[in-house]
Amino acid sequence: MRSAQIEPSTRRPDSRWLATYAVLVYLFLHLPLAILMIFSVNASRFTVWEGFSLRWYAEAFRDQELMESTLNSLIVAVSATAFATLAGTLCAYALWKRASRWMTAGLALSLVTPEIVTGISLLAFFQWIFRYFDFRLGLHTVVLAHVMFSVVFVVTVVLARLRTMDSSLEEAAMDLGATDWQAFRRVTLPLLAPGIGAAALLAFTISFDDYVITSMVAGVDSQTLPMALYAMARRGANPVVNAISTLIVALIGTLILVSERLREK
Amino acid sequence: MRQFESQRLKLRRRFGGDGLRALFLTPSAVLLIALLGVPMAIVFAYTFLTRGTYGGVTSAWTLENWQRLADPLYAGILFKSFAVAAVSTLFCLALGFPLALFISRAGRRKGLYLHLVILPFWTSFLVRTYAWMFLLRDTGLINTVLLKLGLISQPLPLLYNYGAVLLGLVYTYLPFMVLPVYATLERMDRSLLEAAADLGARPLQVLWRVVLPLSRPGLRAGAILVFIPCLGAFLIPDLLGGGKTILVGTLVQNQFTTARDWPFGSALSMALMGVVLLLMLPLARKDGPGGGDLL
Amino acid sequence: MRRRTFLMSVAGAAGCGGRRFRLNVLNWSVYIPPEVLRQFERETGIQLRYNVYESNEEMLARVMSGNSGWDVVFPTHYYIQPMREMRLLARLDTTRLKNLGNLDASFRRPAWDPNLEWCVPYMWGATGILYNGRLAPAPKTWSDLWQDRYQGRLTMLDDPVEVFGAALKTLGRSWNGQNESDLRAAKEQALRQKPLLRAYLNAEVRDQVVSGDVAAAQLWATTAQQAIDAAPHLQFAYPAEGFGLYADNTAILRESRRPGLAMRFIDFLLRADVSASIVRGCRTATANGAARALLGSEIQALPTLYPAPGTLERGEWMATPTVKLQRLRDRLWTELKSA
């Protein structure tokens, strides 16, 4: 039972304040991004404007390793998001039905652990395993690590949304003859979809941007973009870093616009 | 007839529901046990070992690492870190809630606005932090503009203090607040708001007494998702705080890097995690559906 | 992993020839320019996998397992002994290095590995003061950095070794704290300086000195050179009381399955022309004497990296203290930071 979708915002008096506020916050969020973009086309290596130039973009594309790192990051983020969202949504649903102290404790633990400790612990764990199996660190270990620390975020977001839902809907469905699986799939899941979407978005972002844990469990061939950027940026302003960041944002931004357009249709 | 039906329902809920539920919990359970439980056990074991001369651990059992924790120096650091994290969380709450509200009311453009919140975060967080350093420096953009406009005569010390650290933390963790709150608000039953308005409540009252309480799950979730990472943050406080003060995240980080004292670092982390978990205990009540506050 | 195999097999099928040789090299960032890496690949047909790190600890964490997949690493000199003790390094057969003679005389029998059995010196550096040349008078000693006139425009490195080292120098003691009282005195001295500091920063401070936010910074010579390249009004000083010296060395990991290829890489780096290209590209101070001869007058133009002969006498090689002293040092560092 969904009440009417939102009334046009112009009719609400406080909406103008809200809109102004939103604009300010978006400016705040995007200001560093604008700076990045501007300096990605700065001819000088340092933060003094010396004229317009695209040389850093050219350099970024010439850098094989940078391109490969980006690809690795995308692969890892997509895989990790898929698994984490799946596991997390199911887990959140189960917790919604009936709380589980162990599960809650486990999830809380994964959230509370400092990144360096997660990294060290996973490294130690993998090395221990690798003594018995002929494996090395690689993209697979990175994906595993990312799934592990993303799950709690997915669960939190999805559960928060579930808590706003009326559990009697499912019961009504079951009264009408549906199995619990059908009730879940046909009733709860569709209503949950935006929450799952938000959770997946969060998981993807966390995974794509992770440095500390990734650097500890990555293997020889699995350098990700944050690792590459970290190495470059740590030595001082490097416009290639700005260039590649701008490219990624432009790419993702375009993808979003396109997907929004498609969804509106 | 009705009694029989409700008995069937009860049975179904007990056994049928449980079967599905166990299945649903399995992937996450396996994940956590294998990739969190076992590694954590290893780290816990580390706390009782001795540091290797150059890093790592040697198998010499000791309680020394735990005894070192009793030092008031570390308690002071922990306290400072809690304060910083708490203030950051409050700011995120204050800034994030109206934004989430705006997005949830935006109609068709909801998805777009949501994505716009996330967009800056696909750049490396290190790069974003450096951008902030550029903005806040004495010769940075903000000071330059203010000086040119004649609003100030000396550059403002915007960088390398707690203010800059808070700014960086709030900036980095705002989406972690916005997303859960949005997820809650989006689902909100509008008819409740209309009912309140019909009963004579002004928009602000509706907000304060209807919307806010209803979005509590999201707010609580967001608060946790912001507070905890802020507590363990080290890069942002280091870069924006100029390394002049040490917070618990940096302290732990140091133990695993420059100090090369893994056992002590493990003990510190365990202590930190323990304190946080204790704080979260009252929030994680074992209630029925829709009852538990957080997870 | 599967993607890699797939791509490799496609590349192989596309006629890239028989077996592809691979070498995995882990190095400090900005220590080999990409062109030099490509040159190696072209000349030898060996494909390089090249990753970078920012600190010895990071490198150690990655290779400590003995099963990391890396072949060649570049530890700083005071890490050679520890890595030997941890059985991480492979013994070198230097008779296979044709270009070993190119090494500068002062690096042929280094204190940390006199017979060059474990490593080959690569680049060296020192910690000094980068400052705005327009400052008068210019800072020439560590003690200068304790003066009020730099209030708020001074930075030191975010590293206990460097900060305590400089403090010890102002007190007339050795850069490497030898005992408890040394370290405690260093901490007190550093505490006196802290109110003057803008921040404890590492390489990030480079941009701030260039833009003028910071007037004087404790910094490594290589990073300082990069700053001077961008802003010629900056200058670098090797403090009169003394300073810390370090040298990064090339070493082969014991776990490496390709020691032959690794030796070829080391030999390549020892070539005079290659080392000269690296110096030009990365602005570093090389241990390669033949390269220095090749660079000739260009060296004269880099006093920051290659100071006058007498200057380096004042330097002290950095050393790792005992475990007990290390622990005290880290504790004092925490106290300093929390103050």
Side-chain angles (χ1 to χ4, degrees):
Chain A
M1 183 195 90
R2 266 197 111 114
S3 37
Q5 194 53 305
I6 190 59
E7 325 76 26
S9 40
T10 47
R11 269 193 239 144
R12 309 174 61 93
D14 55 335
S15 69
R16 234 170 307 143
W17 286 111
L18 207 55
T20 321
Y21 173 79
V23 167
L24 286 174
V25 176
Y26 278 120
L27 271 177
F28 170 65
L29 286 176
H30 290 248
L31 191 56
L33 192 59
I35 302 286
L36 277 186
M37 290 188 181
I38 293 176
F39 281 105
S40 70
V41 289
N42 178 12
S44 158
R45 168 170 276 273
F46 291 96
T47 52
V48 226
W49 183 258
E50 262 180 35
F52 186 90
S53 162
L54 286 176
R55 60 188 272 222
W56 307 115
Y57 286 89
E59 223 177 281
F61 278 112
R62 273 203 303 267
D63 194 336
Q64 285 264 31
E65 311 225 351
L66 202 57
M67 293 290 113
E68 208 178 294
S69 307
T70 315
L71 188 61
N72 283 342
S73 275
L74 285 171
I75 293 178
V76 167
V78 169
S79 322
T81 305
F83 288 123
T85 312
L86 185 65
T89 308
L90 296 179
C91 180
Y93 179 77
L95 285 179
W96 179 54
K97 287 280 169 175
R98 190 151 59 101
S100 156
R101 226 186 268 158
W102 283 109
M103 199 62 195
T104 307
L107 288 169
L109 193 66
S110 81
L111 188 62
V112 155
T113 320
E115 286 205 300
I116 184 97
V117 178
T118 312
I120 295 268
S121 63
L122 280 173
L123 185 64
F125 173 67
F126 286 137
Q127 297 301 0
W128 180 62
I129 297 245
F130 294 163
R131 259 189 256 165
Y132 304 110
F133 299 98
D134 186 25
F135 279 129
R136 279 226 167 118
L137 295 176
L139 278 181
H140 47 294
T141 49
V142 178
V143 172
L144 282 173
H146 282 220
V147 176
M148 191 278 281
F149 66 68
S150 305
V151 166
V152 65
F153 291 97
V154 174
V155 170
T156 312
V157 174
V158 174
L159 201 54
R161 183 171 173 92
L162 275 171
R163 294 243 164 83
T164 66
M165 277 178 56
D166 193 353
S167 54
S168 59
L169 287 173
E170 273 206 351
E171 290 173 18
M174 295 208 285
D175 280 351
L176 291 169
T179 63
D180 17 283
W181 171 251
Q182 282 176 323
F184 169 66
R185 228 199 73 194
R186 299 283 192 83
V187 179
T188 318
L189 209 51
L191 290 172
L192 207 48
I196 299 181
L201 194 60
L202 189 59
F204 186 89
T205 314
I206 295 173
S207 166
F208 196 75
D209 203 20
D210 181 73
Y211 170 73
V212 181
I213 300 180
T214 314
S215 66
M216 306 229 74
V217 298
V220 171
D221 274 339
S222 28
Q223 175 159 272
T224 59
L225 189 60
M227 290 168 70
L229 288 180
Y230 191 85
M232 294 169 81
R234 255 327 190 126
R235 283 273 157 156
N238 187 339
V240 174
V241 164
N242 298 353
I244 193 106
S245 306
T246 312
L247 278 175
I248 293 175
V249 168
L251 180 71
I252 310 247
T254 322
L255 281 175
I256 291 174
L257 278 175
V258 168
S259 73
E260 287 302 312
R261 276 292 141 79
L262 289 175
R263 213 144 33 98
E264 277 172 32
K265 297 228 171 86
Chain B
M1 184 68 165
R2 196 167 284 180
Q3 193 160 29
F4 181 59
E5 284 274 326
S6 68
Q7 283 225 318
R8 243 182 62 199
L9 274 171
K10 274 202 209 125
L11 282 172
R12 190 196 273 146
R13 232 174 278 152
R14 244 202 101 139
F15 295 110
D18 264 17
L20 199 64
R21 182 171 165 275
L23 185 68
F24 277 12
L25 281 180
T26 314
S28 306
V30 167
L31 205 63
L32 288 181
I33 292 176
L35 294 174
L36 182 69
V38 175
M40 276 301 132
I42 298 179
V43 171
F44 187 65
Y46 279 0
T47 64
F48 296 108
L49 299 177
T50 321
R51 64 173 288 188
T53 325
Y54 304 107
V57 293
T58 60
S59 50
W61 298 88
T62 171
L63 282 177
E64 186 191 20
N65 300 304
W66 289 101
Q67 289 165 336
R68 275 171 75 187
L69 284 177
D71 204 316
L73 177 68
Y74 302 122
I77 294 175
L78 200 61
F79 179 72
K80 251 190 288 183
S81 314
F82 265 87
V84 169
V87 176
S88 306
T89 310
L90 286 174
F91 270 110
C92 278
L93 276 168
L95 292 176
F97 178 77
L99 187 64
L101 197 62
F102 171 77
I103 300 177
S104 67
R105 288 185 187 176
R108 271 184 339 167
R109 301 243 191 88
K110 248 187 284 202
L112 179 68
Y113 289 146
L114 200 62
H115 285 120
L116 275 182
V117 174
I118 303 285
L119 196 63
F121 295 83
W122 274 308
T123 60
S124 150
F125 80 98
L126 193 71
V127 171
R128 292 195 303 272
T129 313
Y130 280 136
W132 273 114
M133 287 170 75
F134 169 73
L135 283 168
L136 297 173
R137 287 202 317 236
D138 274 8
T139 57
L141 195 63
I142 296 184
N143 270 317
T144 315
V145 166
L146 289 178
L147 278 170
K148 282 247 169 77
L149 290 178
L151 290 169
I152 52 173
S153 55
Q154 288 273 38
L156 295 171
L158 295 172
L159 194 55
Y160 302 138
N161 50 40
Y162 277 111
V165 175
L166 283 172
L167 180 76
L169 287 173
V170 169
Y171 180 81
T172 307
Y173 291 108
L174 198 56
F176 288 56
M177 176 65 73
V178 171
L179 283 171
V181 176
Y182 162 79
T184 319
L185 286 173
E186 204 264 349
R187 184 68 196 96
M188 192 168 301
D189 192 350
R190 308 279 171 213
S191 60
L192 289 172
L193 308 182
E194 288 168 17
D198 284 347
L199 288 169
R202 295 191 308 277
L204 225 63
Q205 279 181 320
V206 175
L207 191 72
W208 186 250
R209 309 195 68 183
V210 182
V211 177
L212 218 49
L214 282 179
S215 36
R216 261 211 332 238
L219 289 171
R220 234 175 273 244
I224 294 281
L225 287 184
V226 170
F227 183 78
I228 294 179
C230 278
L231 199 57
F234 73 91
L235 210 57
I236 294 172
D238 257 6
L239 287 177
L240 293 175
K244 279 194 290 190
T245 188
I246 197 162
L247 296 179
V248 75
T250 314
L251 186 63
V252 171
Q253 176 79 2
N254 274 352
Q255 301 311 313
F256 287 104
T257 53
T258 47
R260 280 175 268 146
D261 194 347
W262 291 25
F264 185 55
S266 308
L268 267 174
S269 326
M270 294 262 133
L272 175 66
M273 286 154 62
V275 171
V276 179
L277 283 175
L278 276 174
L279 284 179
M280 282 174 60
L281 253 178
L283 295 174
R285 297 195 305 259
K286 185 175 184 271
D287 278 13
D293 269 336
L294 176 68
L295 284 170
Chain C
M1 280 259 285
R2 281 196 300 268
R3 172 188 72 92
R4 181 103 22 220
T5 330
F6 174 68
L7 282 177
M8 286 281 284
S9 47
V10 166
C16 289
R19 280 174 315 163
R20 295 215 71 170
F21 292 114
R22 256 274 289 258
L23 191 63
N24 301 330
V25 177
L26 196 57
N27 199 354
W28 296 81
S29 48
V30 201
Y31 245 9
I32 303 185
E35 312 86 65
V36 172
L37 294 173
R38 300 290 92 78
Q39 184 186 353
F40 178 75
E41 285 181 331
R42 271 197 320 270
E43 289 181 12
T44 60
I46 302 173
Q47 197 195 13
L48 282 177
R49 162 73 50 189
Y50 188 80
N51 274 12
V52 297
Y53 55 84
E54 281 301 312
S55 67
N56 285 301
E57 289 84 16
E58 206 184 308
M59 178 267 290
L60 198 61
R62 281 164 90 163
V63 305
M64 213 159 61
S65 62
N67 181 24
S68 64
W70 296 102
D71 300 303
V72 180
V73 291
F74 289 74
T76 308
H77 71 276
Y78 52 84
Y79 259 77
I80 298 291
Q81 178 67 14
M83 287 182 79
R84 275 182 56 191
E85 284 179 23
M86 290 196 276
R87 295 161 58 78
L88 289 173
L89 297 181
R91 240 204 171 89
L92 299 181
D93 179 10
T94 45
T95 55
R96 294 171 62 182
L97 291 173
K98 298 193 309 280
N99 300 318
L100 194 63
N102 285 346
L103 272 183
D104 198 77
S106 51
F107 285 103
R108 295 229 182 101
R109 296 188 62 80
W112 56 90
D113 188 14
N115 299 322
L116 292 182
E117 290 174 296
W118 302 99
C119 65
V120 175
Y122 179 62
M123 298 280 169
W124 58 272
T127 315
I129 307 173
L130 174 70
Y131 62 93
N132 191 325
R134 304 193 192 114
L135 279 178
K140 288 282 176 218
T141 66
W142 291 120
S143 313
D144 284 340
L145 297 184
W146 262 252
Q147 290 171 11
D148 285 337
R149 61 193 172 105
Y150 294 114
Q151 173 72 44
R153 299 178 67 208
L154 178 66
T155 67
M156 297 284 277
L157 287 168
D158 192 13
D159 186 338
V161 175
E162 309 278 2
V163 172
F164 288 159
L168 283 167
K169 276 298 161 197
T170 62
L171 297 171
R173 310 198 200 181
S174 157
W175 177 275
N176 302 304
Q178 316 279 35
N179 51 52
E180 264 199 48
S181 73
D182 269 357
L183 288 176
R184 289 191 195 280
K187 179 218 153 188
E188 291 306 315
Q189 182 72 334
L191 204 51
R192 266 173 235 131
Q193 188 198 38
K194 196 174 169 195
L196 299 171
L197 289 180
R198 170 174 285 246
Y200 289 102
L201 290 177
N202 286 337
E204 293 93 24
V205 77
R206 189 188 71 180
D207 295 335
Q208 306 224 10
V209 188
V210 168
S211 69
D213 291 69
V214 171
Q218 182 192 36
L219 202 57
W220 304 293
T222 37
T223 319
Q225 180 62 52
Q226 290 165 9
I228 295 176
D229 283 343
H233 67 272
L234 297 177
Q235 288 179 26
F236 184 78
Y238 283 87
E241 303 110 323
F243 45 88
L245 281 174
Y246 64 88
D248 293 318
N249 308 266
T250 322
I252 304 180
L253 290 176
R254 203 146 161 273
E255 55 162 291
S256 169
R257 298 183 200 164
R258 303 172 264 254
L261 299 182
M263 290 295 268
R264 286 177 71 180
F265 185 68
I266 299 183
D267 213 20
F268 174 76
L269 291 177
L270 281 171
R271 271 169 46 181
D273 57 322
V274 171
S275 189
S277 316
I278 297 178
V279 170
R280 282 195 199 105
C282 297
R283 315 300 254 163
T284 48
T286 180
N288 192 315
R292 289 181 65 163
L294 205 62
L295 289 166
S297 57
E298 290 175 63
I299 294 278
Q300 314 286 42
L302 294 171
T304 307
L305 295 175
Y306 300 95
T311 319
L312 287 179
E313 313 290 314
R314 303 199 297 263
E316 272 180 75
W317 290 104
M318 299 192 194
T320 325
T322 65
V323 173
K324 210 156 157 273
L325 282 182
Q326 265 187 65
R327 195 178 277 184
L328 179 64
R329 184 186 66 195
D330 297 316
R331 163 130 197 146
L332 292 172
W333 181 245
T334 309
E335 283 178 26
L336 175 68
K337 290 291 201 89
S338 312

